[in-house]
Amino acid sequence: MPKMKTNRAAAKRLRTSGAGRVRRSRAGHNHLMRGKPARRLRKLRKNTMASAADEKQVRRLLPYAF
């Protein structure tokens, strides 16, 4: 059976956690930051988990990540 292709755009944006869930970075931390409070920007630095509803789609995009 041939190898499956990994979606490279998804591979650059998503990682797997130690527990096997999908880690993602938070949106809104790339531009137009001077109008956002420092407290909000600090919270946007941290990673979070992708929702359970999106995990099935992510597993298809990243077949070898899990």
Side-chain angles (χ1 to χ4, degrees):
M1 186 168 210
K3 294 180 187 176
M4 295 172 70
K5 288 216 172 188
T6 296
N7 182 294
R8 299 310 297 165
K12 291 168 188 173
R13 288 163 174 80
L14 303 165
R15 300 277 182 270
T16 52
S17 69
R21 297 200 49 209
V22 180
R23 261 183 25 185
R24 67 170 178 85
S25 57
R26 293 181 185 273
H29 200 276
N30 281 326
H31 63 115
L32 301 175
M33 290 188 289
R34 54 176 192 267
K36 296 171 188 168
R39 178 181 177 185
R40 181 171 162 195
L41 292 173
R42 267 197 312 276
K43 291 187 176 195
L44 289 174
R45 277 184 221 148
K46 298 178 180 171
N47 289 330
T48 185
M49 297 296 164
S51 69
D54 293 331
E55 284 198 20
K56 182 179 178 185
Q57 186 177 4
V58 171
R59 285 175 193 272
R60 188 176 297 155
L61 293 172
L62 305 173
Y64 299 107
F66 297 96

